[in-house]
Amino acid sequence: MSSAPVQPATPSLADALVEVQAEIDRRFDALLAVPDDARARLYQAMRHAAIGGGKRLRPLLVFATARLFDVDPDQAGRAATALEAIHVYSLVHDDLPAMDDDDLRHGKATVHKAYDEATAILAGDCLHALAFEVLADPATHPDAGVRAELIADLARASGPAGMAGGQMMDLVAEGETFDLGTVTRLQQLKTGALICAAVEAGAILGRVSPEQRTPLRGYAHDLGLAFQIVDDLMDVEGDEELAGKKLRKDEAAGKETFVSLLGVPRAREQSRMLVDQALDHLRHYGAEADLLRQIARFVVERDR
Amino acid sequence: MSSAPVQPATPSLADALVEVQAEIDRRFDALLAVPDDARARLYQAMRHAAIGGGKRLRPLLVFATARLFDVDPDQAGRAATALEAIHVYSLVHDDLPAMDDDDLRHGKATVHKAYDEATAILAGDCLHALAFEVLADPATHPDAGVRAELIADLARASGPAGMAGGQMMDLVAEGETFDLGTVTRLQQLKTGALICAAVEAGAILGRVSPEQRTPLRGYAHDLGLAFQIVDDLMDVEGDEELAGKKLRKDEAAGKETFVSLLGVPRAREQSRMLVDQALDHLRHYGAEADLLRQIARFVVERDR
């Protein structure tokens, strides 16, 4: 009987999504065991934010990239959880009354609504710290150099030169007339940086040298922009109940978006072009990149 | 001519404080160069919070501990800046209206007063990310294992099992009747964890094995509690103008403190006993630990 290692068949995107969602929930559940003291409310708020919600696109990108390089699934799972912890903390803070003032997230009450503002601020801060605690743990990778690289990349992608910088530009956007270049830069920071960090994390765990990451970075960059354009389209055309959050807020706030600047038909065309570009970056990969390809197609098709 | 290396003379505490304050300001100034785009306001708010204020006790502890093990001063400076970035971010969030609602910090307007709440939330988040970005940089230590250990320790000390957990207990404290054991635990998390992390960072950079860190951990633990007791004493007896912040808020909020539970004379006695204990932990160190000893004495004497 032959026992040659066989590349596992690419799971369908639907199966992969279900699996990743269950795994991330399971990992947050284990990380956020509620202590029997006055901190219980804080942990409950973190659980409310982190468990049972969201597409888990960033974790899925970590897994799909890690697949290319036969990364240990537990290592990929830990990195994916750290990425998602950063994403979730940013949503908790973004939803605060002083920021976007949202009552609903993933179809349930936002943390400051279910708890209170102070708890939401602290729960966000704790999820932020948790991300780095998870990455710094030797269980994430036996080589400390790999862990340090994961941390450096995530800190940069989530800080003022990445996600948080984009959120600041977004705050200032109200009442400003940003042009397409500025909106592109804003979105590249606000959502693109963390999407890139997810793909990068898979490549770092796979010990891919920075030079060899170029096609993956191109893929992530184009995917991130396409994702945001489709988000803007769904914001204009979507149904609030289905989306599980308030829509058409940018328009009300007078903020420029890809759709306000390009119009619906050109924005949709642009998103498709970006996905084609993203797929083209993967041309030198074989079937092992099929999940990354499916994710890219899903991103533009989800608004139908 | 003899050229044997000579242990540099211990600086006076006053000189060390001035030097550390200047160095931390200089480092934040370099890290937070204001970009010429819509993120300018965010960087300005971070600078407002991080530059020119505070005793810099935690950085001083990193330097004073690093001195024991001949750590490269630039490495110690980077770790000290990361520790302080975490401390500053926690103050910015703690001062928010939903938390302690303070208008004044280090004698100037708090960030949400000088800017606005949304900017203060983001500036805090960015200083939080900056701490890990600084530690993960190879300039902090050429050995990635040392960097990963610094990061793991700081993430743990600042997260729900450390500083942020203590802040949550503090929020819940309003209207609760905490006993001395619970107040001790609260303060050990809220301020003690980061003071311990500062000493620990010096020891990690000095490649001291965890077993050999026991006396330093004992020192940091006792110092942290003594510091908090004196803070409570100053809160009751102090002058708001000299302190540069609002005082007697715990009493107004009905929160138990060391002073409310022990009374002024016993609280003062307890702080002195703790400092004696802290000094005793250093008994096996020679003159190289004199700065740590001066810091301990300063902590109890600063309320006179």
Side-chain angles (χ1 to χ4, degrees):
Chain A
M1 237 168 70
S2 155
S3 63
V6 172
Q7 168 81 16
T10 304
S12 79
L13 180 64
D15 287 349
L17 271 170
V18 168
E19 207 177 297
V20 168
Q21 285 163 4
E23 171 159 358
I24 297 296
D25 277 357
R26 188 176 54 70
R27 286 181 180 271
F28 276 128
D29 181 55
L31 285 166
L32 299 173
V34 180
D36 185 24
D37 62 30
R39 294 170 302 150
R41 186 179 168 84
L42 174 63
Y43 278 80
Q44 281 153 356
M46 291 167 78
R47 296 175 68 89
H48 179 91
I51 299 174
K55 290 176 293 296
R56 311 296 196 190
L57 173 66
R58 291 152 196 82
L60 183 63
L61 283 167
V62 177
F63 281 110
T65 309
R67 267 192 118 251
L68 301 179
F69 312 109
D70 293 321
V71 170
D72 174 81
D74 185 56
Q75 293 174 7
R78 294 183 60 92
T81 305
L83 258 291
E84 190 68 5
I86 292 285
H87 176 57
V88 172
Y89 115 67
S90 80
L91 297 180
V92 172
H93 283 185
D94 224 23
D95 286 338
L96 285 167
M99 304 270 288
D100 279 359
D101 193 14
D102 272 308
D103 297 350
L104 214 59
R105 169 71 66 182
H106 302 141
K108 58 184 185 182
T110 47
V111 178
H112 66 275
K113 278 283 164 186
Y115 294 84
D116 56 71
E117 278 186 57
T119 304
I121 294 166
L122 283 176
D125 290 342
C126 285
L127 286 163
H128 193 170
L130 182 72
F132 294 107
E133 203 178 340
V134 167
L135 290 183
D137 190 308
T140 298
H141 199 282
D143 183 336
V146 170
R147 302 201 299 277
E149 197 179 349
L150 287 169
I151 290 160
D153 196 66
L154 187 57
R156 191 197 44 69
S158 62
M163 181 186 79
Q167 284 175 300
M168 188 68 212
M169 289 180 76
D170 199 32
L171 275 180
V172 175
E174 226 161 293
E176 295 268 334
T177 48
F178 282 173
D179 60 14
L180 192 59
T182 310
V183 168
T184 303
R185 169 105 180 107
L186 184 167
Q187 296 300 355
Q188 209 184 313
L189 293 175
K190 191 181 172 198
T191 60
L194 210 54
I195 285 174
C196 287
V199 170
E200 195 91 15
I204 292 170
L205 285 172
R207 319 288 308 236
V208 182
S209 71
E211 302 75 46
Q212 291 178 304
R213 289 178 210 160
T214 308
L216 289 169
R217 284 177 177 165
Y219 164 86
H221 177 270
D222 294 338
L223 179 76
L225 271 184
F227 177 83
Q228 189 55 49
I229 296 176
V230 174
D231 225 54
D232 286 355
L233 284 164
M234 289 170 72
D235 189 69
V236 169
E237 302 183 324
D239 178 281
E240 292 200 348
E241 202 156 328
L242 268 169
K245 62 179 178 182
K246 197 160 165 54
L247 298 178
R248 284 170 280 282
K249 292 183 57 176
D250 287 337
E251 200 186 336
K255 284 186 197 172
E256 301 290 4
T257 67
F258 288 112
V259 175
S260 74
L261 289 166
L262 293 171
V264 168
R266 277 184 62 209
R268 178 158 289 126
E269 193 189 316
Q270 181 74 6
S271 73
R272 287 183 180 152
M273 208 196 69
L274 282 163
V275 166
D276 286 344
Q277 265 182 220
L279 293 171
D280 192 52
H281 284 297
L282 302 177
R283 66 186 177 278
H284 296 303
Y285 288 104
E288 71 278 12
D290 279 353
L291 193 53
L292 285 175
R293 294 188 184 97
Q294 288 187 62
I295 295 169
R297 290 191 200 99
F298 165 70
V299 156
V300 276
E301 284 165 13
R302 73 198 161 106
D303 71 321
R304 289 191 313 204
Chain B
M1 239 168 71
S2 155
S3 64
V6 172
Q7 167 80 16
T10 304
S12 79
L13 181 64
D15 287 350
L17 271 170
V18 168
E19 205 177 299
V20 169
Q21 285 163 5
E23 171 160 358
I24 296 296
D25 276 357
R26 189 177 54 70
R27 287 181 178 271
F28 276 128
D29 181 55
L31 285 166
L32 299 173
V34 180
D36 185 24
D37 62 28
R39 293 170 304 150
R41 186 178 169 84
L42 174 63
Y43 278 80
Q44 281 154 355
M46 291 167 78
R47 295 176 68 89
H48 179 91
I51 298 174
K55 291 176 294 295
R56 310 297 196 190
L57 172 65
R58 291 151 197 80
L60 183 63
L61 284 167
V62 177
F63 282 110
T65 309
R67 267 191 117 252
L68 302 179
F69 313 109
D70 294 320
V71 170
D72 173 81
D74 185 56
Q75 293 175 6
R78 294 183 60 90
T81 305
L83 259 291
E84 190 67 4
I86 292 286
H87 176 58
V88 172
Y89 114 68
S90 81
L91 297 180
V92 173
H93 282 185
D94 224 23
D95 287 338
L96 285 166
M99 305 270 288
D100 280 357
D101 194 13
D102 273 308
D103 296 349
L104 213 59
R105 167 73 66 184
H106 303 142
K108 59 184 183 182
T110 47
V111 178
H112 67 275
K113 277 283 162 187
Y115 294 83
D116 56 73
E117 277 185 59
T119 304
I121 295 167
L122 282 176
D125 290 343
C126 286
L127 287 163
H128 192 170
L130 182 72
F132 293 107
E133 204 177 340
V134 167
L135 290 184
D137 191 308
T140 298
H141 199 282
D143 182 338
V146 170
R147 303 200 298 278
E149 197 179 348
L150 288 169
I151 290 159
D153 197 66
L154 187 58
R156 192 198 43 70
S158 62
M163 181 186 79
Q167 285 176 298
M168 189 66 213
M169 288 182 75
D170 199 31
L171 275 181
V172 174
E174 225 163 293
E176 295 267 333
T177 48
F178 281 173
D179 60 15
L180 191 60
T182 309
V183 167
T184 303
R185 170 105 181 107
L186 184 167
Q187 296 299 355
Q188 210 183 314
L189 293 174
K190 192 181 171 198
T191 60
L194 210 55
I195 284 175
C196 287
V199 170
E200 195 91 15
I204 292 169
L205 285 172
R207 319 289 306 236
V208 183
S209 71
E211 302 75 45
Q212 290 177 304
R213 288 178 211 161
T214 308
L216 289 169
R217 285 177 177 166
Y219 164 87
H221 177 270
D222 294 337
L223 179 75
L225 271 183
F227 178 83
Q228 189 54 51
I229 295 176
V230 174
D231 225 53
D232 287 354
L233 283 165
M234 289 169 73
D235 188 69
V236 168
E237 303 182 324
D239 178 281
E240 292 200 350
E241 203 155 327
L242 269 170
K245 62 179 179 182
K246 197 162 164 55
L247 298 178
R248 285 170 280 280
K249 293 183 56 176
D250 287 337
E251 199 186 338
K255 284 185 195 173
E256 302 289 5
T257 68
F258 288 113
V259 175
S260 73
L261 289 166
L262 293 171
V264 168
R266 278 185 61 208
R268 179 159 289 127
E269 194 190 315
Q270 180 73 7
S271 74
R272 289 185 178 151
M273 208 196 69
L274 281 163
V275 166
D276 286 344
Q277 265 181 219
L279 293 172
D280 191 54
H281 283 297
L282 302 177
R283 66 185 177 279
H284 295 304
Y285 287 104
E288 72 277 14
D290 279 353
L291 193 53
L292 285 175
R293 294 187 184 98
Q294 289 187 62
I295 295 169
R297 289 191 200 100
F298 166 70
V299 156
V300 278
E301 285 164 13
R302 74 199 160 104
D303 71 322
R304 288 192 314 204

